[in-house]
Amino acid sequence: MGNSYLFTSESVAEGHPDKVCDQISDALLDEYLRRDAKARVAVETLATSNQVVLAGEVSSTGLLSRDEVEKIVRNVVKNIGYEQDGFHYKNINIDNFIHSQSQDIARGVVEQDDKPAGAGDQGIMFGYATDEAEGTEFMPAPMFYANAILRNLAEARHQGVFPELRPDAKAQVTMLYENGIPVKADSIVVSTQHTPETSTEEVREIVRYIVKKTIPEQWLCSDEKFLVNPTGRFVIGGPDGDTGLTGRKIIVDTYGGAAPHGGGAFSGKDATKVDRSANYMARHMAKNVVASGVAKKCLIQIAYAIGVAEPLALYVNTFGTGLVDEDKIVASLKEIFNLTPQGISDYLNLTLPIFQKTAAYGHFGRAPEEDGAFSWEKINRAEEIKKALS
């Protein structure tokens, strides 16, 4: 690529159709976990014009009635802010096809006398961290700022500062990199749903105001490359404008394309599904490796087999920025961390009902919270890693 290049990431707001579905799936997961910390949940959601369809598998001592499920779904849609003709929390029709989990799956993921609980599925999971830019929470800068723009737009909408805004929105940030370091935004694209009576110029002024509060002034792009609602109008949005599905924004959920993704989605899945828990653990390890000063970038891959507790493989790539050999980092991580599904769940407190908070604006690059949400973002093992490798 040479010394200079452009890299782009996009994000979507909580009102995007796919994110509506992610939040519904995770809200249902949270309620199952409140009733039964050992619940096994895999819930999928589809949303279209005034219609929500639920499907999936659950094994739990605290099952939800159909009325309880419907109430949760309506509350999620209401809290996002959908009260439009084509998608209104009061009027949506809800079809519920959730059923019991297959015993063939359940037998491999339940702890037994002679062996620990196995992984809920086979697969490969990735975690990534980089210190490429200060203040971006060890995330790639384009992804961090795309999420931040949309989070700030939503906050202004919920607070009533800009009642002209509606829930659906997307943001795309292209960064200019020099020698691997982001130096400024080359272009910014934001599309946001708005009320019918709001003019294009009014929307542009609102978005410009939010973006200028979000991205450091010295990083802002030129006005010619600052694009807001490029089509000129965005009134019909959300599931009324485009069908949504759980798990269709996996790159938005992670690193904006700056690192690989194994393919499995996060939302609607309990922690026995390593699609979710091992991705969180890989991010936690990568972030602590970078925070330790051992490397400036770190990619970690973990591989599992269904029903088998210990991972089949652990891979580390520091992209030439490591101060020690990568095989030594692998050995130290194996010593420090328990990478069985149960070990990960216990360490990161993944039986708590914390997951709806993760379902919009990225699962990574968020501040750790006292109640356990985003525990994988904590930098609490960096010194231990540094000591092990010194």
Side-chain angles (χ1 to χ4, degrees):
M1 282 188 178
N3 292 329
S4 298
Y5 60 91
L6 300 175
F7 190 82
T8 305
S9 294
E10 74 151 358
S11 185
V12 298
E14 65 200 54
H16 185 279
D18 297 327
K19 280 289 143 202
V20 171
C21 294
D22 285 346
Q23 289 165 91
I24 290 172
S25 292
D26 274 339
L28 291 168
L29 168 62
D30 282 351
E31 188 55 37
Y32 281 114
L33 291 174
R34 285 188 188 96
R35 300 181 182 209
D36 176 10
K38 294 184 178 180
R40 301 293 182 256
V41 181
V43 173
E44 311 290 348
T45 304
L46 177 148
T48 186
S49 297
N50 275 329
Q51 177 75 52
V52 171
V53 180
L54 307 172
E57 304 80 46
V58 174
S59 175
S60 174
T61 60
L63 295 177
L64 304 177
S65 69
R66 289 190 173 272
D67 286 346
E68 289 170 325
V69 168
E70 182 172 312
K71 183 177 180 180
I72 291 168
V73 172
R74 294 192 192 281
N75 281 341
V76 170
V77 175
K78 179 182 180 181
N79 291 336
I80 292 171
Y82 275 116
E83 300 183 24
Q84 62 192 46
D85 289 343
F87 200 73
H88 196 298
Y89 75 94
K90 290 182 178 178
N91 302 328
I92 51 175
N93 181 61
I94 301 168
D95 289 332
N96 182 356
F97 300 106
I98 297 172
H99 57 85
S100 298
Q101 184 186 51
S102 164
Q103 291 305 305
D104 289 343
I105 296 175
R107 66 185 297 188
V109 300
V110 175
E111 187 173 0
Q112 300 175 14
D113 293 338
D114 59 340
K115 65 175 184 176
D121 201 352
Q122 71 178 50
I124 54 175
M125 293 79 203
F126 290 94
Y128 179 72
T130 173
D131 71 349
E132 66 183 37
E134 187 177 352
T136 58
E137 299 295 337
F138 295 89
M139 287 288 285
M143 188 76 255
F144 179 84
Y145 284 114
N147 276 325
I149 289 167
L150 294 174
R151 196 163 53 243
N152 290 340
L153 269 177
E155 183 177 344
R157 175 174 60 84
H158 284 301
Q159 291 176 349
V161 178
F162 295 117
E164 300 91 341
L165 300 178
R166 282 185 168 170
D168 198 357
K170 300 178 80 170
Q172 181 174 290
V173 176
T174 298
M175 283 282 176
L176 172 64
Y177 282 73
E178 293 182 356
N179 298 314
I181 302 298
V183 295
K184 65 169 293 186
D186 184 75
S187 67
I188 299 171
V189 183
V190 180
S191 295
T192 181
Q193 188 185 10
H194 56 87
T195 56
E197 62 273 15
T198 306
S199 70
T200 300
E201 191 51 45
E202 286 174 314
V203 175
R204 286 175 178 161
E205 287 306 310
I206 291 170
V207 172
R208 285 191 178 102
Y209 172 79
I210 294 294
V211 170
K212 288 179 179 179
K213 285 185 62 178
T214 305
I215 295 182
E217 184 177 0
Q218 69 272 19
W219 276 26
L220 288 171
C221 64
S222 63
D223 285 343
E224 309 88 75
K225 291 192 173 183
F226 194 163
L227 307 177
V228 179
N229 283 12
T231 65
R233 182 176 170 85
F234 186 3
V235 173
I236 299 174
D240 189 36
D242 188 15
T243 298
L245 292 168
T246 297
R248 204 161 55 176
K249 286 291 176 286
I250 56 176
I251 298 303
V252 168
D253 285 340
T254 55
Y255 310 102
H261 192 294
F266 299 162
S267 291
K269 299 176 181 177
D270 71 87
T272 65
K273 282 73 172 174
V274 282
D275 280 339
R276 182 167 220 157
S277 55
N279 271 292
Y280 289 173
M281 192 63 167
R283 160 65 176 175
H284 179 67
M285 292 191 295
K287 188 174 183 181
N288 277 268
V289 166
V290 174
S292 75
V294 170
K296 296 181 71 64
K297 287 184 181 182
C298 183
L299 175 71
I300 293 176
Q301 183 200 62
I302 315 175
Y304 290 88
I306 188 167
V308 179
E310 292 289 343
L312 302 180
L314 181 66
Y315 163 83
V316 172
N317 186 351
T318 59
F319 305 92
T321 70
L323 300 181
V324 299
D325 291 341
E326 288 153 348
D327 60 343
K328 293 182 179 179
I329 299 176
V330 169
S332 70
L333 295 177
K334 286 181 177 179
E335 284 292 321
I336 293 169
F337 296 100
N338 181 343
L339 298 180
T340 66
Q342 188 64 54
I344 293 171
S345 181
D346 291 345
Y347 175 68
L348 295 177
N349 294 317
L350 298 182
T351 58
L352 298 176
I354 58 173
F355 295 105
Q356 189 181 350
K357 294 179 182 180
T358 70
Y361 311 116
H363 293 245
F364 309 124
R366 313 270 288 274
E369 295 180 14
E370 291 181 3
D371 62 5
F374 308 108
S375 56
W376 47 92
E377 290 296 305
K378 291 180 180 178
I379 301 173
N380 58 347
R381 309 302 289 273
E383 287 301 316
E384 192 174 349
I385 291 170
K386 183 177 181 179
K387 183 178 179 181
L389 293 169
S390 61

